[in-house]
């Protein structure tokens, strides 16, 4: 089947962004993707939009060319910016002002001023969420967040937007999205790459292979499982390296990962896609027609994708206004990423899977990690990046990926009041020494010691952990059972309490006398939402610990299963249940808040974004969810103790 694309000269200048990234009184960072190098100026105006406060050229040296028609900029503007007041910024390019090129970026009434923002020294009002799956049947909570922000004055808007993982789903991609990815790769001239020890020589062959749609599980590598005596005895048994149960369209090449980011954030990227092709009744690929099963799924997915794309102008506008910080979780790279040492051994010893995971990490740095803390990436890092992007050979790609694998500084802090500490819970894990298939601790001892140093002498702090530090005990019990049966990957047995070393060290941090009085922990990952108030047992001067979990932005848990788990958790782990003394959390007493939209159940199963309001002491004065359909669910304080 052939497709006629418009000529490259018709490409819009702006392909994605701008996304407002790290912002302080002395620096502003803006992320943007364009079809050619952008030349012009960046300007900051006062509240009236008339008085110019700052101006700087758009540096060409801060733009990375990643394809023939794809340039990624992270512009760093050092200056002295007024704090805690409304400001406006404008980007003037060779094609005109960015608000003229992308008119929907401005909120109503701001069209002549530019894009409103504020440099906040506090973090009293935070939006937070994770798990945004484009083809999930739920609506997109980022769209609801944008509509909420549009109704607020600049002074009332959130201080920060925190995205705590799974900004993309690299391991669970809809067929129509994968087709859009392949089209976008061609339109932008993203480079092909060669593979080692793979069934296909390069990515060009991948895009033309009949298995490229709904058949990539047959392309991805496998290994001989030797984690148990039974597995070693069954020598003929081989396991897939990538453990996702929905890996039929798993992303493989760097170009695919990068194109996916553009498609989840940018309506302009979708304008370069032949959408009519996606809706054909009998789609052919590489001379073969999709089976009836996959065609049926394709047409289900395309409806969800159409709804998702319709909301992208709102998402683009939201990300352009609020200082936005991100951290990876597993689906940004692949499901169960580094869950066990057995998984790591199989994945990193195979050249093909090592490359795929590296491509996920490379695209994460380019599209997420770079903007969180630009100062962490030195000249050596950029030399390796430029060597690969300017000459994308297998040797240069593997060298850059190796540098990314050795990098141990993905975590970062945000210098607000209270301080925000964002954790890397994926790459510095406390690996089990007893069994290859036993879950690793989410952070190793050295990383936890570094965390404790960040917390010392702070009165209040916000910790961002992709997975909840304190989760639902019944679900953790099911995960423990599956681990004992040798199947930790089957139920994603990944929680802070799964590894004795990391669990005990974590609780010791909370009991240290020089750590904060008030801890707020923001998490996602689990596809449902809940709030706990936590105190230390047998201690009069216990710190206040608040576990606030919001997940997902566009995802939710199987409804019946979650209701069952919620009910069993209340039944088996009531305040007086002796089972509480068989958990690693027995030194803690936990009060579970009930949402105001239901009486019995404590877990909310709805796509939503979290809203957190803190008082001057860093305690939550309001914890709520803004659901994807615009409703508000509050979690009032409770006296119901676990």
């Amino acid at each position: 089947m052939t497709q006629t694309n418009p000529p490259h000269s018709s490409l819009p200048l702006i392909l994605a962004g701008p996304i407002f990234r790290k912002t302080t009184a002395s620096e502003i960072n803006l992320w943007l993707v364009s079809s050619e190098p952008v030349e012009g100026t960046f300007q900051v105006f006062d509240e009236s939009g008339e008085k110019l406060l700052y101006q700087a050229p758009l540096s060409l040296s801060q733009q990375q060319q990643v394809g023939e028609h794809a340039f990624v900029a992270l512009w760093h503007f050092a200056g002295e910016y007024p704090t805690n007041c409304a400001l406006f910024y404008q980007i003037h390019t060779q094609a005109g002002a960015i608000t003229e090129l992308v008119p929907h970026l401005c909120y109503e009434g701001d069209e002549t001023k530019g894009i409103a923002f504020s440099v906040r020294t506090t973090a009293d009002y935070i939006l937070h969420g994770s798990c945004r799956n484009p083809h999930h049947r739920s609506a997109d909570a980022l769209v609801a967040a944008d509509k909420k922000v549009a109704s607020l004055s600049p002074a009332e808007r959130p201080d920060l937007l925190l995205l705590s993982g799974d900004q993309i789903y690299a391991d669970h991609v809809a067929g129509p999205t994968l087709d859009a990815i392949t089209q976008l790769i061609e339109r932008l001239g993203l480079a092909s790459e060669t593979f080692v020890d793979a069934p296909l020589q390069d990515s060009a062959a991948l895009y033309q292979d009949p298995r490229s749609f709904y058949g990539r599980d047959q392309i991805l590598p496998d290994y001989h499982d030797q984690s148990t005596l039974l597995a070693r005895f069954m020598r003929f048994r081989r396991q897939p390296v990538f453990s996702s149960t929905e890996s039929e369209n798993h992303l493989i090449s760097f170009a695919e990962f990068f194109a996916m980011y553009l498609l989840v954030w940018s309506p302009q990227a979708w304008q370069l896609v032949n959408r009519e092709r996606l809706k054909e009744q009998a789609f052919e690929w590489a001379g073969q027609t999709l089976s009836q099963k996959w065609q049926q799924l394709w047409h289900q997915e395309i409806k969800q994708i159409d709804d998702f794309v319709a909301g992208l102008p709102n998402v683009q506008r939201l990300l352009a206004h609020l200082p936005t910080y991100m951290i990876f979780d597993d689906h940004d790279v692949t499901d169960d990423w580094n869950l066990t040492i057995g998984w790591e051994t199989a994945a990193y010893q195979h050249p093909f899977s090592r490359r795929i995971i590296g491509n996920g990490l490379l695209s994460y740095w380019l599209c997420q990690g770079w903007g969180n803390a630009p100062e962490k990436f030195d000249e050596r890092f950029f030399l390796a990046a430029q060597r690969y992007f300017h000459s994308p050979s297998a040797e240069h790609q593997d060298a850059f990926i190796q540098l990314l694998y050795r990098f141990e500084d993905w975590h970062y802090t945000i210098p607000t009041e209270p301080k925000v500490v964002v954790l890397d819970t994926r790459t510095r894990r406390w690996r089990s020494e007893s069994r290859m298939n036993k879950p690793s601790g989410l952070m190793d001892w050295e990383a936890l010691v570094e965390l404790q140093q960040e917390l010392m002498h702070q009165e209040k702090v916000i910790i961002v952990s992709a997975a909840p530090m304190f989760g639902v005990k019944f679900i953790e019990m099911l995960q423990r059972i599956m681990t004992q049966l040798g199947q930790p990957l089957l139920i994603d047995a990944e929680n802070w309490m799964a590894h004795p070393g990391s669990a005990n060290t974590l609780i010791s941090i909370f009991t240290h006398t020089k750590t904060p009085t008030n801890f707020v922990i923001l998490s996602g990952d689990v596809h449902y939402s809940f709030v706990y108030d936590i105190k230390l047992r047998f201690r009069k001067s216990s710190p206040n610990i608040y576990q606030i979990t919001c997940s997902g932005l566009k995802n939710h848990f199987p409804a019946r299963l979650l209701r069952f788990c919620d009910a069993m958790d209340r039944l088996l782990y009531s305040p007086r249940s002796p089972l509480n003394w068989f958990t690693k959390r027995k030194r803690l007493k936990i009060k579970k808040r009930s949402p105001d939209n239901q009486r019995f159940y404590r877990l909310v199963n709805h796509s939503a974004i979290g809203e957190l309001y803190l008082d001057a002491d860093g305690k939550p004065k309001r914890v709520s969810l803004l659901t994807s359909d615009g409703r508000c669910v509050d979690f009032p304080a409770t006296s119901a103790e676990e």
Side-chain angles (χ1 to χ4, degrees):
M1 175 175 210
T2 60
Q3 173 195 354
T4 301
N5 282 324
H8 290 303
S9 61
S10 67
L11 293 175
L13 177 64
I14 307 302
L15 297 176
I19 299 181
F20 212 53
R21 300 306 314 272
K22 182 181 181 182
T23 304
T24 69
S26 59
E27 66 176 304
I28 290 174
N29 293 275
L30 282 174
W31 183 90
L32 182 139
V33 182
S34 58
S35 59
E36 61 183 79
V38 180
E39 301 179 39
T41 58
F42 170 76
Q43 296 177 327
V44 175
F45 297 89
D46 69 354
E47 186 175 7
S48 69
E50 297 178 357
K51 183 180 179 181
L52 181 65
L53 303 178
Y54 177 89
Q55 180 170 292
L58 301 176
S59 172
L60 292 175
S61 65
Q62 294 173 3
Q63 302 179 54
Q64 294 277 354
Q65 183 174 7
V66 301
E68 185 181 358
H69 304 283
F71 296 78
V72 179
L74 184 73
W75 286 308
H76 174 83
F77 303 108
E80 295 181 5
Y81 300 101
T83 59
N84 304 315
C85 61
L87 301 170
F88 288 87
Y89 75 87
Q90 182 63 272
I91 301 173
H92 291 281
T93 76
Q94 65 266 37
I98 196 166
T99 53
E100 297 170 351
L101 299 175
V102 189
H104 62 254
L105 283 178
C106 291
Y107 287 117
E108 186 176 356
D110 293 343
E111 293 84 359
T112 61
K113 299 179 182 180
I115 302 172
F117 75 101
S118 182
V119 180
R120 301 289 175 83
T121 58
T122 60
D124 297 335
Y125 176 21
I126 295 174
L127 294 182
H128 65 102
S130 71
C131 308
R132 184 165 169 259
N133 186 342
H135 66 278
H136 192 270
R137 64 182 180 277
S138 58
D140 190 348
L142 285 185
V143 175
D146 174 71
K147 294 177 180 178
K148 171 73 176 285
V149 171
S151 69
L152 303 174
S153 69
E156 297 171 320
R157 290 172 184 168
D159 302 318
L160 301 172
L161 170 60
L162 297 173
L163 301 178
S164 56
D166 300 341
Q167 277 66 259
I168 66 169
Y169 275 70
D171 56 304
H172 186 198
V173 182
T177 303
L178 186 58
D179 187 35
I181 287 171
T182 60
Q183 291 188 51
L184 195 58
I185 288 171
E186 179 185 353
R187 294 298 311 278
L188 301 184
L190 302 180
S192 181
E193 66 182 82
T194 57
F195 304 128
V196 176
D197 200 10
L200 299 166
Q201 180 179 0
D202 54 29
S203 55
L206 169 66
Y207 306 147
Q208 298 301 320
D209 193 284
R211 297 169 295 179
S212 188
F213 281 93
Y214 300 110
R216 293 190 173 196
D217 51 334
Q218 304 167 42
I219 298 174
L220 298 172
D222 57 17
Y223 71 104
H224 179 215
D225 183 8
Q226 301 189 55
S227 59
T228 65
L229 287 174
L230 179 61
R232 287 195 291 270
F233 177 75
M234 298 171 62
R235 293 185 178 275
F236 60 86
R237 181 186 179 192
R238 299 189 67 83
Q239 296 286 342
V241 171
F242 295 96
S243 51
S244 173
T245 57
E246 298 168 302
S247 61
E248 296 89 358
N249 290 329
H250 199 299
L251 302 182
I252 292 177
S253 68
F254 162 71
E256 290 180 335
F257 277 93
F258 176 67
M260 181 72 169
Y261 275 105
L262 302 188
L263 292 169
V264 300
W265 287 336
S266 168
Q268 289 81 16
W270 284 96
Q271 292 169 9
L272 304 181
V273 172
N274 184 341
R275 300 276 295 281
E276 292 305 313
R277 161 176 163 168
L278 303 183
K279 299 178 182 179
E280 294 190 11
Q281 296 298 312
F283 178 68
E284 293 184 358
W285 186 258
Q288 295 191 17
T289 302
L290 290 177
S291 69
Q292 193 63 37
K293 169 188 174 182
W294 297 124
Q295 284 193 47
Q296 183 177 0
L297 179 59
W298 180 289
H299 292 302
Q300 292 173 1
E301 292 172 339
I302 194 66
K303 296 176 183 177
Q304 304 301 335
I305 293 297
D306 284 345
D307 291 340
F308 176 79
V309 173
L312 285 178
N314 295 88
V315 175
Q316 187 177 29
R317 183 170 66 173
L318 178 73
L319 298 179
H321 281 78
L322 299 184
T324 303
Y325 296 84
M326 311 176 188
I327 192 65
F328 45 46
D329 203 10
D330 54 348
H331 295 290
D332 294 289
V333 175
T334 189
D335 193 23
D336 299 327
W337 181 27
N338 295 343
L339 194 146
T340 69
I341 190 173
W343 188 96
E344 289 189 55
T345 301
Y348 297 121
Q349 287 184 353
H350 196 294
F352 190 30
S353 55
R354 182 180 176 84
R355 170 67 69 77
I356 295 170
I357 297 165
N359 286 335
L361 198 54
L362 197 166
S363 61
Y364 167 79
W365 166 73
L366 188 65
C367 299
Q368 297 192 60
W370 191 8
N372 292 325
E375 68 280 0
K376 292 193 173 190
F377 305 102
D378 57 18
E379 183 179 357
R380 183 174 65 97
F381 195 99
F382 283 104
L383 284 175
Q386 290 169 1
R387 191 178 299 116
Y388 164 58
F389 289 130
H390 291 172
S391 179
S393 65
E395 179 184 0
H396 291 161
Q397 187 170 3
D398 289 337
F400 188 32
I401 287 173
Q402 181 60 30
L403 180 62
L404 291 166
Y405 279 143
R406 292 196 301 265
F407 188 73
E408 293 189 338
D409 216 7
W410 296 114
H411 57 286
Y412 59 95
T413 61
I414 306 172
T416 50
E417 185 68 24
K419 181 183 192 179
V420 180
V421 180
V422 183
L423 306 182
D424 166 10
T425 60
R426 303 283 354 163
T427 72
R428 299 180 65 187
R429 294 208 151 187
W430 195 326
R431 295 167 180 85
S432 171
E433 297 179 0
S434 59
R435 297 204 311 272
M436 294 285 285
N437 64 347
K438 187 175 181 180
S440 299
L442 272 64
M443 291 171 63
D444 64 20
W445 185 81
E446 289 184 353
L448 287 167
V449 169
E450 291 176 16
L451 169 62
Q452 185 173 31
Q453 293 303 310
E454 288 284 0
L455 303 179
M456 296 286 279
H457 308 296
Q458 300 286 324
E459 287 298 316
K460 51 189 176 180
V461 70
I462 299 169
I463 299 175
V464 180
S465 167
M469 288 185 170
F470 306 100
V472 179
K473 281 189 176 182
F474 179 74
I475 294 177
E476 291 179 353
M477 180 268 292
L478 293 179
Q479 292 172 330
R480 191 177 307 119
I481 291 173
M482 294 309 298
T483 297
Q484 292 170 349
L485 294 175
Q487 299 294 328
L489 304 180
L490 189 63
I491 197 172
D492 193 14
E494 191 165 36
N495 61 74
W496 279 90
M497 299 300 135
H499 186 280
S502 61
N504 291 327
T505 305
L506 178 68
I507 293 177
S508 295
I509 289 173
F510 291 118
T511 61
H512 197 287
T513 56
K514 293 183 180 179
T515 48
T517 303
N518 294 309
F519 292 88
V520 173
I521 305 164
L522 301 180
S523 302
D525 178 55
V526 292
H527 300 174
Y528 49 85
S529 303
F530 61 91
V531 179
Y532 293 164
D533 297 343
I534 304 166
K535 292 270 193 178
L536 302 179
R537 295 185 187 273
F538 319 118
R539 182 165 155 182
K540 293 182 179 179
S541 57
S542 168
N544 302 304
I545 306 169
Y546 306 93
Q547 172 66 69
I548 302 172
T549 302
C550 179
S551 179
L553 289 168
K554 196 176 188 300
N555 219 327
H556 55 67
F557 207 83
R560 291 184 180 180
L561 178 58
L562 188 66
R563 290 261 171 152
F564 171 76
C565 291
D566 198 348
M568 293 301 294
D569 188 68
R570 294 200 66 170
L571 176 65
L572 297 179
Y573 293 97
S574 63
R576 294 176 178 82
S577 171
L579 291 177
N580 289 322
W581 292 93
F582 292 95
T583 73
K584 297 181 181 66
R585 287 156 34 182
K586 59 187 176 184
R587 285 186 281 168
L588 308 174
K589 54 183 179 181
I590 298 178
K591 296 179 180 179
K592 303 176 180 178
R593 297 196 184 190
S594 297
D596 64 1
N597 67 335
Q598 51 195 32
R599 294 183 178 180
F600 178 78
Y601 296 101
R602 270 95 176 248
L603 307 179
V604 175
N605 194 21
H606 202 296
S607 59
I609 189 166
E611 291 189 278
L612 171 64
Y613 299 82
L614 299 177
D615 64 18
D617 295 323
K619 295 181 180 180
K621 61 182 180 182
R622 183 182 178 188
V623 182
S624 60
L625 303 175
L626 177 63
T627 65
S628 57
D629 55 7
R631 292 181 292 113
C632 183
V633 178
D634 276 313
F635 285 88
T638 180
S639 59
E641 181 185 322
E642 181 186 287

